Amino acid sequence: MRALTLISRRALALATLAPLALLLAGCGDSSTAGVGGEGTGGFGAVGRVDGFGSTIVEGRRLDDRDARITLDGAAAPLTAIKLGTQLALQAEGERLLMANVEAEVIGPLAADLMEDRGEFTVLGQRVVIGGHPALAPVLEGVTDLLAGTQVEVHGLRRADGAIVPTRIQVRAPSLATVRLRGTVAALDTTARRFRIGDLTVNYAGAALAPAGSTLANGRSVTLTAPRSALA
């Protein structure tokens, strides 16, 4: 069993953060409720993993032995849940039903870490280390954060769109695809482009989730694409 200490949307709102939580539908049973919610419908709790031993969400102990774990939507072992990773999950009674591990952005640093400000940029997204006192990031493989370094960043969005990281992991230099979660802006369906933060995306060659959803300004999406799709 694993110990997952998670922060719900409600708690994050009190901390003045604006996370892009994955809202998970309930199972249609009157006894079903997402963690932190009541009744049918489910509720996507989101937050960082703080430790292991049993599954605890907002003080509520959940049995994770039969939980379905996914990594970016694909089936994964329980070991995919690491310290600092961000999860979206659903529970029923005292059982954890499913949890999806979701990075906020995976890609290359645009420039060296600005050490005086504790900031760097990945795919047009500002990442602010220490942007919230309760969210110190877990580091894996990190020595120097230099331009071009491929990183996987888990974190939560502030109201200004900056990512407050809970985990930063260095990825292989040969990483061919990038990943980004964010809000669509400046959508141009003729040119098949939109923006997330300061990044312009040619979505013709990208995989978008939720699958089959209609793009619109203000809609949250997850983008996976070859680096050539970036403007």
Side-chain angles (χ1 to χ4, degrees), residues 8-9 12-13 17-21 46 104 155-158 181:
S8 73
R9 273 177 172 266
L12 290 171
L17 296 175
L20 295 174
V46 61
E104 198 69 14
L156 302 169
R157 296 275 184 171
R158 297 193 314 200
R181 297 200 312 153

Side-chain angles (χ1 to χ4, degrees), residues 91-209:
E92 181 181 44
E94 301 306 315
R95 293 189 303 122
L96 178 64
L97 299 179
M98 59 188 300
N100 190 46
V101 180
E102 297 181 323
E104 198 69 14
V105 61
I106 301 174
L109 268 69
D112 294 355
L113 169 70
M114 293 183 287
E115 295 186 13
D116 58 331
R117 298 169 60 181
E119 292 187 18
F120 59 90
T121 301
V122 181
L123 303 184
Q125 315 304 302
R126 286 177 60 223
V127 180
V128 183
I129 300 173
H132 191 277
L135 298 176
V138 174
L139 306 179
E140 181 175 328
V142 176
T143 53
D144 296 318
L145 291 172
L146 303 177
T149 302
Q150 301 281 354
V151 294
E152 175 179 326
V153 179
H154 292 254
L156 302 169
R157 296 275 184 171
R158 297 193 314 200
D160 63 1
I163 299 170
V164 180
T166 57
R167 180 181 178 84
I168 303 171
Q169 177 180 344
V170 172
R171 299 289 296 268
S174 59
L175 190 68
T177 59
V178 296
R179 184 185 188 278
L180 175 63
R181 297 200 312 153
T183 302
V184 173
L187 175 63
D188 184 337
T189 56
T190 301
R192 299 181 68 81
R193 292 178 179 270
F194 60 77
R195 296 183 66 82
I196 296 179
D198 291 333
L199 178 72
T200 299
V201 178
N202 178 352
Y203 65 85
L208 300 175

Side-chain angles (χ1 to χ4, degrees), residues 205-228:
L208 300 175
S213 61
T214 301
L215 283 175
N217 288 323
R219 174 159 298 196
S220 296
V221 297
T222 299
L223 160 78
T224 304
R227 293 180 63 180
S228 59

